[in-house]
Amino acid sequence: FPIDITFKSTNPSGWPQIVVSVYGPDFFGNDVVRGYGAVHVPFVPGRHTRTLPMFVPESTSRLQRFTSWFTGRRPEFTDPRVVAQGEGREVTRVRSQGFVTISFNVV
């Protein structure tokens, strides 16, 4: 999807990121999260390709895992900023779920 954005900054702290959330149908036809990923927007002019490792949140117990599978309500983040931030992520159980490739054309 083409996105045209202009950014201006005096330092790289808090540099913009793109957060990707991928959704798809499960076995029962429910729309569930297939993966989350985040990447910093490059600031050097030119064409850049980035590969985002995707991950999904996991339930902490077998009972929660079965209940979420049975009801079709799998764990997901309510706030997409959680994906871009590092704070509090060390206590979140996640599983790797493939990759997404993004191309940037920076002027």
Side-chain angles (χ1 to χ4, degrees):
F1 302 103
I3 300 173
D4 185 14
I5 302 173
T6 303
F7 294 108
K8 182 179 178 184
S9 179
T10 57
N11 61 14
S13 176
W15 190 254
Q17 296 184 49
I18 291 182
V19 175
V20 178
S21 301
V22 179
Y23 289 84
D26 66 355
F27 182 73
F28 299 111
N30 299 320
D31 202 26
V32 296
V33 66
R34 293 293 185 189
Y36 294 108
V39 65
H40 286 279
V41 176
F43 57 88
V44 178
R47 182 170 177 84
H48 305 276
T49 302
R50 300 287 187 259
T51 301
L52 282 75
M54 303 298 283
F55 61 89
V56 291
E58 281 274 307
S59 298
T60 55
S61 72
R62 289 181 189 222
L63 178 61
Q64 287 177 335
R65 210 172 294 142
F66 175 74
T67 304
S68 66
W69 175 82
F70 186 71
T71 60
R73 299 289 304 165
R74 301 214 176 129
E76 62 182 79
F77 296 123
T78 56
D79 187 5
R81 288 181 287 184
V82 172
V83 177
Q85 296 173 347
E87 301 111 28
R89 290 255 319 270
E90 66 274 359
V91 296
T92 306
R93 181 179 290 189
V94 296
R95 175 175 39 97
S96 294
Q97 191 72 20
F99 297 91
V100 170
T101 302
I102 296 180
S103 295
F104 295 96
N105 290 314
V106 179
V107 179

XYZ file of all heavy atoms in Angstrom:
857
model
N 0.842 -1.167 0.000
C 0.000 0.000 0.000
C 0.893 1.238 0.000
O 1.706 1.394 0.903
C -0.894 0.014 1.232
C -1.766 -1.194 1.347
C -1.457 -2.214 2.223
C -2.894 -1.308 0.568
C -2.256 -3.320 2.332
C -3.705 -2.416 0.675
C -3.395 -3.419 1.547
N 0.765 2.106 -0.961
C 1.587 3.321 -0.951
C 1.173 4.263 0.174
O -0.013 4.515 0.379
C 1.316 3.962 -2.302
C 0.448 3.033 -3.053
C -0.034 1.976 -2.138
N 2.164 4.759 0.909
C 1.923 5.708 1.988
C 2.852 6.890 1.758
O 4.047 6.709 1.566
C 2.215 5.079 3.366
C 1.318 3.871 3.603
C 2.029 6.094 4.469
C 1.667 3.099 4.857
N 2.313 8.101 1.782
C 3.121 9.304 1.594
C 3.080 10.097 2.885
O 2.035 10.599 3.283
C 2.553 10.128 0.438
C 3.410 11.324 0.103
O 4.558 11.378 0.571
O 2.925 12.200 -0.627
N 4.249 10.186 3.581
C 4.319 10.850 4.881
C 5.576 11.711 4.911
O 6.603 11.340 4.353
C 4.380 9.815 6.026
C 3.170 8.900 5.984
C 4.471 10.499 7.359
C 3.246 7.769 6.971
N 5.513 12.840 5.605
C 6.674 13.701 5.796
C 6.964 13.814 7.288
O 6.061 14.107 8.075
C 6.407 15.108 5.215
O 6.062 14.973 3.849
C 7.611 15.994 5.365
N 8.231 13.539 7.675
C 8.652 13.635 9.062
C 9.810 14.617 9.172
O 10.625 14.733 8.268
C 9.132 12.285 9.597
C 8.061 11.256 9.692
C 8.026 10.195 8.816
C 7.096 11.338 10.677
C 7.040 9.231 8.902
C 6.109 10.388 10.770
C 6.080 9.333 9.880
N 9.886 15.296 10.306
C 11.011 16.182 10.591
C 11.365 15.985 12.059
O 10.494 15.969 12.924
C 10.635 17.637 10.327
C 11.764 18.600 10.563
C 11.347 20.010 10.260
C 12.487 20.953 10.558
N 12.084 22.343 10.361
N 12.668 15.819 12.327
C 13.099 15.586 13.697
C 14.496 16.165 13.893
O 15.280 16.250 12.955
C 13.120 14.086 13.994
O 13.566 13.856 15.302
N 14.798 16.558 15.120
C 16.126 17.073 15.429
C 17.030 15.990 16.012
O 18.226 16.175 16.111
C 16.028 18.242 16.428
O 15.348 17.788 17.593
C 15.290 19.410 15.807
N 16.452 14.851 16.417
C 17.249 13.734 16.916
C 16.526 12.424 16.600
O 15.322 12.415 16.374
C 17.528 13.866 18.418
C 16.260 13.864 19.241
O 15.202 13.524 18.751
N 16.372 14.248 20.495
N 17.246 11.281 16.583
C 16.612 10.013 16.213
C 15.811 9.362 17.339
O 15.181 8.340 17.122
C 17.798 9.132 15.814
C 18.938 9.678 16.571
C 18.685 11.159 16.717
N 15.804 9.951 18.537
C 15.053 9.376 19.645
C 13.563 9.451 19.345
O 13.029 10.502 19.017
C 15.365 10.135 20.932
O 14.572 9.645 21.984
N 12.893 8.329 19.441
C 11.459 8.294 19.160
C 11.155 8.338 17.673
O 10.087 8.771 17.266
N 12.117 7.888 16.855
C 11.929 7.896 15.403
C 10.708 7.062 15.033
O 10.442 6.045 15.657
C 13.187 7.346 14.718
C 13.154 7.559 13.246
C 12.931 6.602 12.294
C 13.321 8.777 12.539
N 12.962 7.157 11.050
C 13.197 8.509 11.168
C 13.560 10.084 12.935
C 13.314 9.480 10.195
C 13.671 11.053 11.956
C 13.545 10.743 10.605
N 9.943 7.474 14.045
C 8.691 6.780 13.684
C 8.905 5.312 13.302
O 9.910 4.965 12.695
C 8.176 7.564 12.483
C 8.939 8.827 12.448
C 10.195 8.626 13.204
N 7.918 4.522 13.665
C 7.902 3.107 13.327
C 6.608 2.783 12.610
O 5.591 3.446 12.820
C 7.970 2.243 14.586
C 9.238 2.378 15.367
C 9.253 1.425 16.538
O 8.977 0.244 16.374
N 9.547 1.945 17.715
N 6.648 1.768 11.798
C 5.423 1.234 11.193
C 5.097 -0.051 11.927
O 5.945 -0.941 12.042
C 5.606 0.981 9.689
C 5.726 2.305 8.967
C 4.452 0.165 9.137
C 5.856 2.198 7.474
N 3.892 -0.138 12.450
C 3.417 -1.334 13.143
C 2.484 -2.072 12.197
O 1.543 -1.489 11.664
C 2.687 -0.972 14.454
C 2.103 -2.212 15.095
C 3.645 -0.273 15.400
N 2.754 -3.361 11.980
C 1.958 -4.181 11.071
C 1.185 -5.198 11.896
O 1.756 -5.903 12.725
C 2.865 -4.905 10.059
C 2.060 -5.805 9.148
C 3.666 -3.901 9.246
N -0.127 -5.254 11.666
C -0.993 -6.263 12.280
C -1.655 -7.039 11.150
O -2.329 -6.450 10.314
C -2.074 -5.616 13.145
O -1.502 -4.842 14.160
N -1.441 -8.348 11.134
C -1.996 -9.191 10.081
C -3.110 -10.043 10.679
O -2.919 -10.698 11.698
C -0.901 -10.096 9.471
C -1.479 -10.988 8.394
C 0.237 -9.261 8.933
N -4.280 -10.023 10.027
C -5.429 -10.808 10.471
C -5.843 -11.769 9.367
O -5.626 -11.504 8.189
C -6.609 -9.897 10.824
C -6.401 -9.107 12.078
C -5.704 -7.905 12.063
C -6.872 -9.571 13.294
C -5.495 -7.181 13.216
C -6.666 -8.859 14.456
C -5.981 -7.665 14.404
O -5.763 -6.949 15.560
N -6.453 -12.885 9.754
C -6.931 -13.860 8.789
C -7.928 -14.797 9.443
O -8.047 -14.841 10.673
N -8.642 -15.569 8.648
C -9.654 -16.480 9.213
C -9.007 -17.716 9.838
O -7.965 -18.186 9.383
C -10.501 -16.869 7.999
C -9.586 -16.698 6.836
C -8.646 -15.590 7.195
N -9.638 -18.226 10.902
C -9.188 -19.480 11.504
C -10.033 -20.628 10.962
O -10.787 -20.467 10.002
C -9.219 -19.408 13.032
C -10.625 -19.282 13.601
O -11.586 -19.157 12.816
O -10.759 -19.292 14.836
N -9.937 -21.795 11.583
C -10.655 -22.981 11.139
C -12.174 -22.787 11.135
O -12.877 -23.337 10.296
C -10.275 -24.166 12.045
C -10.921 -25.457 11.663
C -10.494 -26.148 10.536
C -11.951 -25.981 12.407
C -11.093 -27.339 10.174
C -12.558 -27.170 12.064
C -12.125 -27.850 10.938
N -12.680 -21.980 12.085
C -14.118 -21.759 12.206
C -14.598 -20.536 11.430
O -15.774 -20.175 11.497
C -14.513 -21.598 13.682
C -14.195 -22.815 14.506
C -13.196 -22.780 15.453
C -14.895 -24.001 14.332
C -12.891 -23.892 16.213
C -14.598 -25.124 15.082
C -13.593 -25.070 16.029
N -13.712 -19.850 10.730
C -14.087 -18.669 9.959
C -14.013 -17.367 10.744
O -14.391 -16.322 10.221
N -13.545 -17.411 11.976
C -13.392 -16.199 12.778
C -12.142 -15.441 12.330
O -11.129 -16.041 11.996
C -13.265 -16.533 14.268
C -14.490 -17.234 14.795
O -15.607 -16.893 14.446
N -14.279 -18.232 15.628
N -12.215 -14.118 12.346
C -11.081 -13.282 11.981
C -10.168 -13.143 13.195
O -10.531 -12.501 14.177
C -11.584 -11.917 11.512
C -10.595 -11.201 10.644
O -9.771 -11.883 10.006
O -10.644 -9.970 10.597
N -8.984 -13.765 13.152
C -8.060 -13.756 14.287
C -6.720 -13.169 13.853
O -6.399 -13.118 12.665
C -7.836 -15.176 14.859
C -9.126 -15.731 15.428
C -7.266 -16.105 13.817
N -5.934 -12.741 14.829
C -4.627 -12.160 14.539
C -3.674 -13.255 14.075
O -3.624 -14.344 14.638
C -4.073 -11.403 15.767
C -3.762 -12.336 16.909
C -2.866 -10.597 15.389
N -2.948 -12.982 12.993
C -1.958 -13.909 12.453
C -0.539 -13.469 12.769
O 0.382 -14.272 12.678
C -2.119 -14.031 10.941
C -3.387 -14.677 10.518
C -3.376 -16.107 10.939
N -4.561 -16.780 10.439
C -4.903 -17.981 10.792
N -4.166 -18.651 11.642
N -5.984 -18.520 10.321
N -0.361 -12.192 13.136
C 0.967 -11.740 13.495
C 1.053 -10.243 13.700
O 0.251 -9.483 13.169
N 2.027 -9.850 14.521
C 2.353 -8.448 14.761
C 3.829 -8.255 14.455
O 4.634 -9.160 14.653
C 2.141 -8.063 16.229
C 0.723 -8.088 16.707
C 0.285 -9.081 17.573
C -0.171 -7.099 16.330
C -1.012 -9.090 18.047
C -1.468 -7.104 16.798
C -1.886 -8.101 17.648
O -3.170 -8.108 18.106
N 4.185 -7.064 14.009
C 5.582 -6.737 13.770
C 5.745 -5.225 13.709
O 4.778 -4.500 13.473
N 6.959 -4.747 13.913
C 7.240 -3.308 13.860
C 8.629 -3.093 13.283
O 9.526 -3.913 13.472
C 7.145 -2.691 15.247
N 8.784 -1.968 12.566
C 10.073 -1.615 11.981
C 10.205 -0.098 11.979
O 9.219 0.617 11.805
C 10.221 -2.184 10.552
C 9.229 -1.576 9.604
C 11.630 -2.017 10.037
N 11.431 0.392 12.232
C 11.693 1.821 12.150
C 11.725 2.252 10.694
O 12.234 1.541 9.830
C 13.029 2.174 12.805
C 12.994 2.121 14.294
N 12.499 3.155 15.048
C 13.354 1.157 15.159
C 12.579 2.830 16.325
N 13.093 1.613 16.414
N 11.197 3.442 10.415
C 11.234 3.997 9.067
C 12.656 4.467 8.794
O 13.234 5.208 9.592
C 10.237 5.176 8.945
C 10.329 5.816 7.573
C 8.823 4.710 9.236
N 13.274 4.048 7.671
C 14.642 4.491 7.373
C 14.699 5.999 7.150
O 13.751 6.594 6.653
C 14.987 3.752 6.074
C 13.960 2.720 5.898
C 12.772 3.119 6.689
N 15.819 6.613 7.519
C 15.948 8.063 7.342
C 16.986 8.427 6.288
O 17.215 9.596 6.022
C 16.264 8.757 8.673
C 17.491 8.250 9.354
C 18.731 8.800 9.069
C 17.407 7.231 10.285
C 19.862 8.328 9.698
C 18.534 6.757 10.921
C 19.768 7.311 10.630
N 17.616 7.450 5.658
C 18.586 7.686 4.592
C 17.852 7.594 3.250
O 17.094 6.649 3.027
C 19.720 6.642 4.656
C 20.695 6.849 3.522
C 20.407 6.686 5.995
N 18.031 8.570 2.362
C 17.352 8.516 1.063
C 17.732 7.261 0.271
O 18.856 6.772 0.350
C 17.850 9.774 0.346
C 18.300 10.681 1.425
C 18.803 9.803 2.516
N 16.767 6.743 -0.484
C 16.997 5.569 -1.316
C 15.912 4.528 -1.119
O 14.920 4.748 -0.434
N 16.125 3.390 -1.752
C 15.176 2.277 -1.642
C 15.683 1.309 -0.574
O 16.836 0.880 -0.612
C 15.038 1.564 -2.971
C 14.041 0.443 -2.945
C 13.772 -0.073 -4.348
N 12.883 -1.193 -4.337
C 11.557 -1.107 -4.297
N 10.987 0.076 -4.290
N 10.809 -2.182 -4.285
N 14.817 0.994 0.375
C 15.178 0.116 1.486
C 14.152 -1.009 1.575
O 12.960 -0.778 1.440
C 15.185 0.883 2.809
C 16.057 2.095 2.785
N 17.402 2.039 3.020
C 15.775 3.390 2.536
C 17.912 3.244 2.938
N 16.940 4.090 2.636
N 14.634 -2.204 1.832
C 13.763 -3.359 2.048
C 14.034 -3.893 3.438
O 15.183 -4.137 3.802
C 14.035 -4.449 1.001
O 13.827 -3.898 -0.305
C 13.093 -5.626 1.182
N 12.982 -4.054 4.214
C 13.100 -4.571 5.577
C 12.213 -5.809 5.708
O 11.092 -5.834 5.205
C 12.656 -3.543 6.620
C 13.444 -2.259 6.611
C 14.826 -2.483 7.182
N 15.543 -1.225 7.342
C 16.458 -0.796 6.499
N 16.764 -1.494 5.440
N 17.080 0.346 6.716
N 12.732 -6.815 6.399
C 11.964 -8.020 6.689
C 11.592 -8.005 8.161
O 12.469 -7.975 9.025
C 12.779 -9.273 6.350
O 13.129 -9.224 4.968
C 11.965 -10.531 6.606
N 10.278 -8.001 8.427
C 9.783 -7.956 9.803
C 9.489 -9.364 10.291
O 8.688 -10.070 9.680
C 8.468 -7.190 9.881
C 8.466 -5.699 9.857
C 8.737 -5.179 8.488
C 7.148 -5.224 10.372
N 10.114 -9.797 11.386
C 9.685 -11.051 11.994
C 8.343 -10.817 12.694
O 8.185 -9.875 13.450
C 10.795 -11.379 12.983
C 11.528 -10.100 13.205
C 11.260 -9.203 12.039
N 7.377 -11.642 12.402
C 6.043 -11.501 12.982
C 5.909 -12.430 14.186
O 6.550 -13.477 14.248
C 4.977 -11.845 11.943
C 5.071 -11.013 10.678
S 4.846 -9.262 10.935
C 3.096 -9.195 11.121
N 5.062 -12.033 15.135
C 4.817 -12.844 16.324
C 3.363 -12.698 16.744
O 2.700 -11.738 16.379
C 5.750 -12.452 17.469
C 5.590 -11.024 17.920
C 4.681 -10.697 18.909
C 6.331 -10.008 17.341
C 4.521 -9.384 19.316
C 6.186 -8.697 17.743
C 5.274 -8.384 18.728
N 2.874 -13.680 17.481
C 1.514 -13.644 18.019
C 1.576 -13.910 19.520
O 2.418 -14.682 19.981
C 0.579 -14.675 17.354
C 0.291 -14.319 15.924
C 1.142 -16.066 17.435
N 0.688 -13.263 20.309
C 0.640 -13.546 21.747
C 0.143 -14.970 21.995
O -0.681 -15.482 21.244
C -0.361 -12.528 22.295
C -0.592 -11.553 21.215
C -0.219 -12.192 19.932
N 0.660 -15.587 23.036
C 0.280 -16.944 23.416
C -0.461 -16.934 24.746
O -0.173 -16.112 25.606
C 1.535 -17.801 23.583
C 2.128 -18.276 22.291
C 1.489 -19.554 21.815
O 1.423 -20.524 22.588
O 1.035 -19.569 20.671
N -1.378 -17.863 24.926
C -2.017 -18.057 26.223
C -1.006 -18.663 27.183
O -0.087 -19.378 26.767
C -3.219 -18.992 26.093
O -4.185 -18.438 25.240
N -1.181 -18.402 28.480
C -0.198 -18.867 29.452
C -0.460 -20.283 29.955
O 0.446 -20.922 30.462
C -0.147 -17.918 30.655
O -1.459 -17.790 31.202
C 0.364 -16.563 30.240
N -1.668 -20.790 29.838
C -1.945 -22.141 30.317
C -2.644 -22.954 29.235
O -3.198 -22.410 28.284
C -2.823 -22.096 31.574
O -4.139 -21.706 31.233
N -2.637 -24.270 29.420
C -3.308 -25.152 28.452
C -4.816 -24.943 28.466
O -5.460 -25.008 27.426
C -2.993 -26.596 28.758
C -1.579 -26.947 28.453
C -1.312 -28.395 28.755
N 0.108 -28.639 28.645
C 0.621 -29.692 28.078
N -0.160 -30.616 27.583
N 1.922 -29.832 27.999
N -5.390 -24.651 29.634
C -6.825 -24.405 29.723
C -7.196 -23.141 28.950
O -8.171 -23.137 28.186
C -7.272 -24.284 31.181
C -8.751 -23.972 31.392
C -9.626 -25.077 30.798
C -9.051 -23.770 32.855
N -6.416 -22.076 29.116
C -6.679 -20.849 28.363
C -6.505 -21.074 26.868
O -7.252 -20.548 26.057
C -5.747 -19.727 28.813
C -6.086 -19.155 30.154
C -5.076 -18.096 30.561
O -3.927 -18.102 30.120
N -5.508 -17.191 31.426
N -5.503 -21.858 26.491
C -5.261 -22.162 25.084
C -6.445 -22.914 24.481
O -6.906 -22.601 23.391
C -3.981 -22.983 24.953
C -3.258 -22.768 23.657
C -1.907 -23.433 23.631
N -1.015 -22.814 24.610
C -0.142 -23.462 25.345
N -0.001 -24.753 25.212
N 0.618 -22.825 26.208
N -6.966 -23.919 25.200
C -8.121 -24.684 24.710
C -9.362 -23.804 24.644
O -10.106 -23.844 23.668
C -8.382 -25.899 25.610
C -9.626 -26.638 25.231
C -9.649 -27.431 24.093
C -10.778 -26.511 25.995
C -10.806 -28.103 23.726
C -11.933 -27.178 25.637
C -11.956 -27.980 24.504
N -9.583 -23.003 25.682
C -10.752 -22.122 25.710
C -10.710 -21.116 24.564
O -11.722 -20.873 23.902
C -10.841 -21.377 27.057
O -10.846 -22.336 28.108
C -12.093 -20.541 27.140
N -9.546 -20.537 24.304
C -9.450 -19.571 23.215
C -9.635 -20.249 21.862
O -10.239 -19.682 20.961
C -8.126 -18.818 23.264
O -7.054 -19.683 23.017
N -9.139 -21.466 21.695
C -9.347 -22.197 20.442
C -10.822 -22.546 20.261
O -11.380 -22.383 19.181
C -8.511 -23.478 20.435
C -8.765 -24.326 19.224
C -8.216 -24.179 17.993
C -9.651 -25.444 19.146
N -8.709 -25.131 17.147
C -9.591 -25.926 17.826
C -10.491 -26.082 20.058
C -10.333 -27.016 17.399
C -11.226 -27.161 19.628
C -11.152 -27.625 18.310
N -11.471 -22.996 21.342
C -12.868 -23.425 21.287
C -13.815 -22.256 21.015
O -14.762 -22.371 20.246
C -13.246 -24.129 22.596
C -14.614 -24.736 22.576
C -14.880 -25.853 21.814
C -15.634 -24.173 23.322
C -16.136 -26.413 21.788
C -16.899 -24.712 23.315
C -17.161 -25.842 22.541
N -13.556 -21.117 21.646
C -14.444 -19.957 21.475
C -14.072 -19.106 20.261
O -14.855 -18.258 19.839
C -14.407 -19.054 22.720
O -13.076 -18.579 22.922
C -14.904 -19.789 23.948
N -12.855 -19.317 19.713
C -12.426 -18.517 18.575
C -11.895 -17.153 18.957
O -11.647 -16.310 18.100
N -11.712 -16.903 20.250
C -11.181 -15.615 20.738
C -9.755 -15.835 21.197
O -9.512 -16.205 22.327
C -12.036 -15.084 21.886
C -13.475 -14.808 21.539
C -13.648 -13.628 20.655
N -13.036 -12.468 21.274
C -12.769 -11.362 20.629
N -13.026 -11.253 19.368
N -12.204 -10.347 21.243
N -8.805 -15.621 20.319
C -7.400 -15.808 20.653
C -6.835 -14.539 21.272
O -7.363 -13.448 21.051
C -6.632 -16.169 19.398
C -7.193 -17.440 18.790
C -6.132 -18.260 18.145
N -6.706 -19.501 17.673
C -6.559 -19.962 16.458
N -5.836 -19.303 15.596
N -7.107 -21.093 16.117
N -5.728 -14.652 22.028
C -5.129 -13.460 22.644
C -4.637 -12.487 21.572
O -4.091 -12.899 20.555
C -3.942 -13.998 23.434
C -4.089 -15.467 23.476
C -5.012 -15.869 22.395
N -4.873 -11.205 21.807
C -4.361 -10.162 20.926
C -4.182 -8.882 21.714
O -4.766 -8.719 22.781
C -5.257 -9.942 19.709
C -6.662 -9.485 20.005
C -7.479 -9.341 18.730
O -7.941 -10.353 18.212
O -7.614 -8.197 18.272
N -3.344 -7.994 21.203
C -3.097 -6.727 21.874
C -4.234 -5.766 21.587
O -4.694 -5.649 20.461
C -1.778 -6.103 21.397
C -0.572 -6.934 21.735
C 0.286 -7.361 20.747
C -0.288 -7.282 23.039
C 1.399 -8.114 21.049
C 0.821 -8.038 23.353
C 1.673 -8.455 22.354
N -4.696 -5.050 22.625
C -5.757 -4.062 22.435
C -5.204 -2.733 21.958
O -5.904 -1.959 21.325
C -6.546 -3.836 23.735
O -5.624 -3.451 24.763
C -7.274 -5.107 24.149
N -3.925 -2.478 22.251
C -3.286 -1.229 21.848
C -2.094 -1.557 20.948
O -1.148 -2.217 21.386
C -2.814 -0.464 23.079
C -2.282 0.908 22.769
O -2.351 1.338 21.593
O -1.801 1.576 23.702
N -2.091 -1.106 19.691
C -0.981 -1.442 18.793
C 0.350 -0.819 19.197
O 1.400 -1.248 18.735
C -1.446 -0.921 17.432
C -2.520 0.048 17.713
C -3.127 -0.342 19.027
N 0.342 0.173 20.085
C 1.596 0.777 20.534
C 2.434 -0.201 21.350
O 3.646 -0.027 21.465
C 1.322 2.034 21.341
C 0.831 3.188 20.468
C 0.591 4.401 21.273
N -0.633 4.174 22.050
C -1.201 5.068 22.821
N -0.663 6.256 22.953
N -2.308 4.792 23.470
N 1.819 -1.239 21.912
C 2.554 -2.245 22.680
C 3.601 -2.915 21.793
O 4.694 -3.235 22.247
C 1.579 -3.292 23.262
C 2.314 -4.456 23.887
C 0.643 -2.648 24.257
N 3.283 -3.111 20.533
C 4.197 -3.772 19.603
C 5.436 -2.919 19.368
O 6.551 -3.434 19.265
C 3.482 -4.067 18.272
C 4.424 -4.684 17.262
C 2.283 -4.967 18.507
N 5.286 -1.600 19.289
C 6.395 -0.699 18.985
C 7.240 -0.366 20.213
O 8.369 0.067 20.075
C 5.861 0.593 18.370
N 6.711 -0.566 21.402
C 7.442 -0.218 22.619
C 8.116 -1.453 23.203
O 7.671 -2.568 23.010
C 6.496 0.375 23.656
C 5.871 1.675 23.209
C 4.808 2.144 24.181
O 4.383 1.404 25.045
N 4.377 3.371 24.016
N 9.179 -1.237 23.934
C 9.892 -2.342 24.564
C 9.465 -2.596 25.995
O 9.656 -3.684 26.516
N 8.861 -1.594 26.635
C 8.513 -1.730 28.046
C 7.375 -2.732 28.240
O 6.363 -2.668 27.569
C 8.080 -0.384 28.639
C 9.122 0.689 28.559
C 8.742 1.772 27.581
O 7.541 1.987 27.370
O 9.640 2.378 27.014
N 7.565 -3.668 29.165
C 6.532 -4.621 29.503
C 6.444 -5.808 28.571
O 5.679 -6.733 28.817
N 7.225 -5.825 27.492
C 7.148 -6.923 26.541
C 7.859 -8.175 27.041
O 7.586 -9.268 26.561
C 7.758 -6.505 25.191
C 6.962 -5.507 24.418
C 6.230 -6.078 23.236
N 6.936 -7.041 22.462
C 7.716 -6.782 21.427
N 7.901 -5.543 21.051
N 8.305 -7.750 20.787
N 8.762 -8.026 28.006
C 9.513 -9.191 28.476
C 8.634 -10.177 29.248
O 9.008 -11.326 29.420
C 10.716 -8.768 29.330
C 10.365 -8.114 30.643
C 10.127 -6.608 30.531
O 10.247 -6.051 29.429
O 9.798 -6.007 31.551
N 7.471 -9.748 29.701
C 6.575 -10.642 30.432
C 5.465 -11.192 29.546
O 4.637 -11.969 30.007
C 5.958 -9.929 31.659
C 7.027 -9.561 32.656
C 5.161 -8.715 31.246
N 5.465 -10.817 28.277
C 4.438 -11.292 27.354
C 4.955 -12.529 26.637
O 6.032 -12.513 26.052
C 4.107 -10.200 26.310
O 3.757 -9.011 26.987
C 2.976 -10.635 25.420
N 4.169 -13.604 26.672
C 4.551 -14.829 25.985
C 4.084 -14.728 24.534
O 2.910 -14.495 24.270
C 3.898 -16.028 26.657
C 4.283 -17.353 26.003
C 3.647 -18.493 26.706
N 4.297 -18.617 28.010
C 4.096 -19.625 28.834
N 3.258 -20.576 28.516
N 4.713 -19.671 29.994
N 5.033 -14.902 23.594
C 4.715 -14.806 22.167
C 5.323 -15.995 21.425
O 6.198 -16.689 21.935
C 5.227 -13.489 21.541
C 4.537 -12.290 22.137
C 6.722 -13.370 21.660
N 4.827 -16.200 20.204
C 5.319 -17.268 19.334
C 5.622 -16.665 17.970
O 4.857 -15.850 17.465
C 4.246 -18.353 19.212
C 4.567 -19.470 18.254
C 3.499 -20.575 18.283
N 2.145 -20.093 18.417
C 1.309 -19.906 17.394
N 1.688 -20.117 16.168
N 0.079 -19.483 17.607
N 6.738 -17.057 17.360
C 7.084 -16.570 16.027
C 6.059 -17.060 15.014
O 5.560 -18.180 15.116
C 8.464 -17.068 15.616
O 9.441 -16.510 16.438
N 5.766 -16.200 14.026
C 4.711 -16.539 13.080
C 5.041 -16.001 11.689
O 4.267 -15.305 11.085
C 3.379 -15.947 13.584
C 2.150 -16.416 12.870
C 1.790 -17.841 13.194
O 2.201 -18.397 14.193
N 1.007 -18.449 12.342
N 6.218 -16.273 11.168
C 6.539 -15.896 9.806
C 7.166 -14.513 9.685
O 7.598 -13.916 10.669
N 7.202 -14.019 8.446
C 7.845 -12.753 8.132
C 6.996 -11.950 7.159
O 6.234 -12.518 6.391
C 9.216 -12.998 7.484
C 10.181 -13.706 8.375
C 10.274 -15.089 8.368
C 10.987 -13.000 9.237
C 11.155 -15.749 9.193
C 11.882 -13.648 10.074
C 11.966 -15.031 10.044
N 7.171 -10.618 7.190
C 6.561 -9.697 6.228
C 7.683 -8.825 5.694
O 8.513 -8.341 6.457
C 5.463 -8.819 6.882
C 5.016 -7.713 5.964
C 4.288 -9.675 7.299
N 7.721 -8.637 4.376
C 8.742 -7.797 3.759
C 8.129 -6.467 3.351
O 7.078 -6.439 2.698
C 9.334 -8.502 2.530
O 9.882 -9.756 2.952
C 10.434 -7.666 1.903
N 8.780 -5.372 3.743
C 8.303 -4.014 3.433
C 9.390 -3.290 2.651
O 10.576 -3.385 2.995
C 7.984 -3.218 4.723
C 6.832 -3.881 5.460
C 7.651 -1.788 4.403
C 6.448 -3.175 6.728
N 8.990 -2.572 1.600
C 9.925 -1.769 0.819
C 9.636 -0.288 1.044
O 8.481 0.126 1.016
C 9.787 -2.072 -0.667
O 10.153 -3.396 -0.932
N 10.688 0.487 1.289
C 10.577 1.936 1.491
C 11.299 2.650 0.361
O 12.398 2.252 -0.032
C 11.251 2.359 2.809
C 10.618 1.819 4.048
C 11.123 0.671 4.647
C 9.543 2.448 4.631
C 10.562 0.170 5.805
C 8.979 1.962 5.788
C 9.489 0.824 6.369
N 10.712 3.715 -0.152
C 11.374 4.627 -1.064
C 11.456 5.965 -0.358
O 10.461 6.683 -0.248
C 10.601 4.772 -2.385
C 10.665 3.511 -3.209
O 11.720 2.935 -3.378
N 9.522 3.071 -3.702
N 12.638 6.303 0.167
C 12.813 7.511 0.953
C 13.461 8.584 0.097
O 14.458 8.318 -0.575
C 13.679 7.215 2.205
C 13.886 8.475 3.019
C 13.050 6.129 3.049
N 12.875 9.783 0.120
C 13.419 10.906 -0.652
C 14.094 11.868 0.294
O 13.606 12.172 1.333
C 12.288 11.620 -1.406
C 12.834 12.794 -2.189
C 11.571 10.660 -2.305
